[in-house]
Amino acid sequence: MTILISAVIQLRGVDLVVMIRPVLSDLWPQYGLTIFTPRLELRLPREEELAALAHLAGKGVHRADERPFLTPWTDGGPEDRARSVLQGHWSQLAGWSVAAWQLGLGVFHHGQPLGVVTLRARDFLVVREVTTSSWLGIEHQGKGYGTEARVGLLTLAFDHLDARVARTEVFQDNHASQGVSRKLGYEHDGVSVDARGDEALVSDRLRLTRQKWTQQNRHSVRVDGMTACRPMFGL
């Protein structure tokens, strides 16, 4: 069912009724938020784009003989992985609050979905710290897209949300992600240990401060639609 809203405008003394089709971003302004990097767009995916991203994850985000993430991407079949992407996306939207939010943005190159980057925070207005995570379809890795998308996400965090610190956690043998973080100025901030079945996995905690961020030479990034989103972040 299509819902239309009517508005009355006056043209040369005559009242005209104009039908206005509301858009999703009127109710959920994060849908109007878009981050533009030289090659990429980062934004909330629409329905068909979300399905395409889920299908991409179903095809794999790393080699079968690797385990660079705590998320068990190689467990189950392609449909299981695809459905987990859908569930994660819907859960983030449904659970949004100023006190605890997760912004999972699709990464697009000329409209083609490449993966997802996520910015999350808890008690952000007090601690001013965010955490980032990401995945790319395996065929899109090794082309610099991950670094470029991370820069876009960090631009939103530091330059538009006024974050003081960005954090990430990376397995010690995930050399690709470690390299991206070090390249962007992250510094070692201890370790964390997680259980994967009967196995204890050690991750490096990495920390990027606003001071280190401002010292980086970065490519140009544009963020559109942030003004309407500010109340959703409590700003």
Side-chain angles (χ1 to χ4, degrees):
M1 179 178 65
T2 301
I3 300 175
L4 296 177
I5 300 174
S6 63
V8 178
I9 63 174
Q10 192 171 72
L11 180 64
R12 294 181 180 177
V14 178
D15 288 341
L16 300 176
V17 177
V18 179
M19 305 308 293
I20 301 173
R21 186 185 301 273
V23 295
L24 194 56
S25 59
D26 292 336
L27 296 173
W28 199 262
Q30 293 93 318
Y31 273 101
L33 179 66
T34 306
I35 303 171
F36 297 92
T37 70
R39 296 182 295 172
L40 305 174
E41 287 185 20
L42 313 180
R43 53 181 172 76
L44 281 179
R46 273 49 175 184
E47 183 175 333
E48 292 305 316
E49 293 172 333
L50 178 60
L53 282 164
H55 178 67
L56 180 65
K59 294 193 294 182
V61 301
H62 58 79
R63 297 202 317 260
D65 61 344
E66 295 179 332
R67 184 65 186 270
F69 304 111
L70 189 62
T71 301
W73 286 107
T74 52
D75 289 359
E79 287 188 355
D80 297 310
R81 292 190 289 272
R83 288 182 183 129
S84 72
V85 171
L86 300 179
Q87 288 179 302
H89 177 78
W90 292 329
S91 175
Q92 289 175 11
L93 293 181
W96 187 285
S97 73
V98 170
W101 48 261
Q102 298 185 66
L103 182 66
L105 302 178
V107 180
F108 299 93
H109 179 243
H110 298 308
Q112 179 185 16
L114 307 184
V116 171
V117 290
T118 301
L119 188 71
R120 57 177 59 86
R122 184 175 295 275
D123 298 321
F124 177 75
L125 296 178
V126 178
V127 301
R128 294 287 174 170
E129 294 189 359
V130 297
T131 302
T132 65
S133 60
S134 65
W135 63 264
L136 292 177
I138 195 166
E139 66 262 42
H140 303 303
Q141 297 172 14
K143 302 176 182 178
Y145 293 138
T147 301
E148 191 169 325
R150 179 95 69 93
V151 169
L153 205 60
L154 292 172
T155 299
L156 174 65
F158 284 116
D159 298 351
H160 296 268
L161 295 175
D162 197 27
R164 298 191 189 104
V165 170
R167 298 182 180 276
T168 191
E169 294 191 9
V170 188
F171 285 165
Q172 293 178 332
D173 61 355
N174 186 346
H175 303 299
S177 186
Q178 289 267 4
V180 169
S181 298
R182 305 293 185 184
K183 180 178 177 181
L184 293 176
Y186 284 78
E187 297 175 315
H188 188 68
D189 192 39
V191 299
S192 62
V193 182
D194 295 287
R196 185 177 67 192
D198 295 331
E199 182 182 11
L201 300 173
V202 179
S203 297
D204 286 329
R205 289 204 310 259
L206 303 175
R207 182 174 185 265
L208 176 64
T209 64
R210 170 185 289 278
Q211 181 181 5
K212 292 286 289 187
W213 168 254
T214 59
Q215 295 171 356
Q216 299 292 316
N217 292 320
R218 305 181 302 274
H219 49 64
S220 176
V221 174
R222 188 177 94 236
V223 177
D224 289 354
M226 183 57 206
T227 299
C229 291
R230 289 180 65 82
M232 300 295 288
F233 292 97
L235 302 175

